[in-house]
Amino acid sequence: MQRRDLTEGPIGRTLLVFALPILGGNVLQSLNGSVNAVWVGRFLGEEALTAIANANNVMFFLLGAIFGFGMASTILVGQAMGRRDLPGARKVIGTAATFFLTLSVVLAAAGLLLARPVLAWMGTPGEAMPLAVPYLQIIFLALPLLYAFSFLSAILRGAGDTRTPFVFLLVAVVLDIVLVPLLMFGIGPLPQMGMAGSAMATLLANAIALPAMLLWLRYRRNPLWIGRHERHLYRLDWSIVRTLVVKGVPMGTQMVLVSAAMIAMITMVNHYGTDTTAAYGAALQLWTYVQMPAMAIGAACSSMAAQNVGAGNWARVEGTTRAGVGFNFLMTGLLIAPLILLDRYTLAMFMPSGSASLEIARHLNHIAVWSFLFFGVTFVIAGVVRSTGAVVPPLVILVIALWGVRVPFANLLQPQLGVDAIWWSFPVSAFLSMVLSAAYYRFGRWREATMLPVDPDAVAIPSEIPAQVPAPVADQGARFDDDAGDEPVVAMPR
């Protein structure tokens, strides 16, 4: 496994090859969630499906809360690798690792105490609460593992390696899928945990896959690996912490706002009863697949743009945007059509036979699924714009689209449109977000933004440094000294 230099090669092909493992990872995560939903929905009923839909919205909110810090880490590492600054990338990794670990432990502890009040505040139906609370509490226990996996994937992606995270995500997903029915139904010596078994499977799978990935990186002498004599790199560098916070908070706020809007939407949906909530939960399972190409391409665009921003190659940044938008329309469109034509069968997988929720789910899916074409364009543009450090304008656009349009549209028009007001709010807000994002990309000043201030004298690349730094995951046979010092090849500006 070797990093891909994103500053060279044909733009379209390089972007696509780099994005495919990200897409594969998205498929695996969604497949994992869908398999769990099939077990829960078909064998435990609508109440359990309603419970998992509500609990998962809280989990997505929590994962969204650290999205910005992960993206900031990706961009900082990507820019450092683009300018061939390996020591600078390692300093970012050490500080960010300490930051992530501390944050995850604090959130996990708070979540264990607040799981029931949060679910009650969301209006989770009473019959679903006994199932949702233990499920969510176990997810909180798994949160540090999930955060650590997300962080490692982010820094490897910034360095140009998407294959290593994919392989170990595959390990986690396979373990999760195997463990779900064993723990849910108490097969063999294992306890019968019901829906909580699904969450416990997630915890155990990540508890195995995460250490395995760390051991693999150590074994392969990954250049980004911090050895035992370099533990001082884990001390907080406050200039990096400041950047993670200043740049990461607006990016994380975007995901928090998306998750909060989804919570607001499901809270409105909950008022229409268990059948409608179960239908919405089933549709969400399909929508995760529809948005996967856009999310993969957008994440790849962000990493590719970050390396090229670091290298000062602006023409390649522009080309990355064009290729990303084109791939989004092609890949997302190819998914939407069959999911519309076959949704009677795909949605039925998440419901008991003869469920009254099926037709409700088909109806809302026909209205809302098209919004992901517009969402994809926004995601690609935002990924490129953020790669320079311009993080506030995409946040403003999202606030307008979600909280200025989607939530008010869904809320205020229900007296006239009924529950359809909720479904129509998705394409209306997504289209507006796309238009505003395209306008900012064309006329905004995002190219002038920065992440860490760069001292031209400090970031001077000696002529003897090769055009490509060593791959973050070494070729077979190549080895790096784990105990080597961190004498900088390129000085990191402080």
Side-chain angles (χ1 to χ4, degrees):
M1 296 179 185
Q2 183 178 2
R3 91 170 182 97
R4 179 171 294 274
D5 188 343
L6 304 178
T7 64
E8 299 177 354
I11 292 175
R13 182 177 180 276
T14 300
L15 178 64
L16 182 61
V17 172
F18 183 70
L20 285 177
I22 303 177
L23 177 58
N26 290 343
V27 171
L28 288 175
Q29 289 177 312
S30 298
L31 177 64
N32 187 27
S34 296
V35 169
N36 289 352
V38 168
W39 284 110
V40 170
R42 293 188 68 86
F43 294 96
L44 301 181
E46 282 92 343
E47 291 81 7
L49 188 60
T50 298
I52 203 172
N54 279 271
N56 279 345
N57 270 278
V58 178
M59 183 182 71
F60 296 150
F61 178 90
L62 292 169
L63 293 176
I66 57 99
F67 169 83
F69 302 127
M71 280 299 304
S73 301
T74 296
I75 294 167
L76 285 171
V77 171
Q79 289 187 1
M81 299 301 278
R83 62 177 180 264
R84 315 298 191 237
D85 182 5
L86 182 59
R90 287 155 58 84
K91 288 185 179 181
V92 169
I93 292 165
T95 290
T98 301
F99 185 80
F100 264 75
L101 178 62
T102 303
L103 181 64
S104 66
V105 171
V106 170
L107 286 177
L112 285 172
L113 299 174
L114 298 175
R116 181 179 293 275
V118 168
L119 289 168
W121 172 77
M122 290 171 56
T124 304
E127 61 269 25
M129 283 290 284
L131 298 171
V133 171
Y135 176 91
L136 186 58
Q137 287 176 330
I138 296 174
I139 288 296
F140 275 117
L141 287 174
L143 199 63
L145 298 172
L146 296 172
Y147 274 19
F149 206 110
S150 175
F151 167 68
L152 278 176
S153 299
I155 62 171
L156 289 172
R157 188 168 64 243
D161 179 9
T162 54
R163 287 178 288 178
T164 299
F166 170 76
V167 168
F168 288 95
L169 180 61
L170 176 61
V171 172
V173 168
V174 170
L175 287 171
D176 200 339
I177 289 175
V178 171
L179 289 171
V180 165
L182 300 180
L183 292 168
M184 186 179 293
F185 304 115
I187 297 174
L190 298 175
Q192 183 176 353
M193 301 181 66
M195 199 179 92
S198 174
M200 183 59 71
T202 297
L203 189 155
L204 293 176
N206 281 274
I208 294 170
L210 176 63
M213 180 159 64
L214 289 170
L215 290 172
W216 174 253
L217 295 174
R218 168 67 178 83
Y219 168 73
R220 295 299 301 271
R221 303 297 194 268
N222 188 305
L224 299 181
W225 178 265
I226 298 176
R228 61 178 177 271
H229 294 314
E230 302 172 302
R231 291 174 184 168
H232 62 279
L233 291 176
Y234 289 114
R235 291 198 298 265
L236 294 176
D237 181 317
W238 291 105
S239 65
I240 295 174
V241 171
R242 185 165 54 252
T243 298
L244 288 175
V245 173
V246 171
K247 301 298 185 180
V249 166
M251 289 189 285
T253 302
Q254 292 179 56
M255 296 305 293
V256 169
L257 288 174
V258 170
S259 299
M262 295 302 292
I263 290 174
M265 303 301 281
I266 199 169
T267 300
M268 285 187 270
V269 172
N270 282 335
H271 292 302
Y272 289 88
T274 298
D275 286 345
T276 301
T277 304
Y280 182 55
L284 287 176
Q285 292 294 327
L286 283 188
W287 295 352
T288 57
Y289 291 97
V290 176
Q291 67 185 347
M292 283 189 303
M295 295 182 70
I297 294 297
C301 284
S302 189
S303 298
M304 188 166 175
Q307 286 198 17
N308 284 283
V309 168
N313 192 342
W314 289 98
R316 194 170 176 86
V317 173
E318 300 280 350
T320 298
T321 308
R322 291 192 296 271
V325 170
F327 282 134
N328 163 68
F329 277 119
L330 176 63
M331 298 170 72
T332 304
L334 287 175
L335 274 179
I336 287 176
L339 287 180
I340 286 289
L341 295 174
L342 302 174
D343 64 353
R344 179 185 298 276
Y345 308 102
T346 52
L347 288 166
M349 291 191 300
F350 308 108
M351 302 173 187
S353 179
S355 173
S357 300
L358 178 58
E359 289 305 315
I360 300 173
R362 294 187 66 227
H363 172 71
L364 71 90
N365 187 56
H366 290 171
I367 294 173
V369 72
W370 301 100
S371 64
F372 291 101
L373 281 173
F374 313 136
F375 159 82
V377 176
T378 300
F379 204 85
V380 167
I381 291 176
V384 173
V385 165
R386 285 194 300 256
S387 70
T388 66
V391 296
V392 173
L395 173 62
V396 173
I397 290 170
L398 193 71
V399 169
I400 294 171
L402 291 184
W403 293 96
V405 176
R406 178 177 295 180
V407 174
F409 185 103
N411 190 41
L412 297 177
L413 291 184
Q414 284 185 63
Q416 290 77 34
L417 301 178
V419 72
D420 278 1
I422 300 175
W423 318 140
W424 277 108
S425 70
F426 284 92
V428 170
S429 60
F431 181 77
L432 175 66
S433 179
M434 179 185 70
V435 171
L436 293 177
S437 296
Y440 177 70
Y441 181 84
R442 174 66 178 83
F443 301 108
R445 301 177 62 181
W446 58 275
R447 296 166 185 83
E448 302 171 18
T450 59
M451 291 291 285
L452 280 170
V454 176
D455 181 354
D457 295 327
V459 185
I461 304 175
S463 58
E464 65 268 18
I465 294 179
Q468 181 171 336
V469 299
V473 180
D475 290 338
Q476 289 289 348
R479 289 292 182 267
F480 296 84
D481 183 5
D482 177 53
D483 298 331
D486 67 328
E487 183 66 21
V489 177
V490 181
M492 182 70 176
R494 300 295 296 257

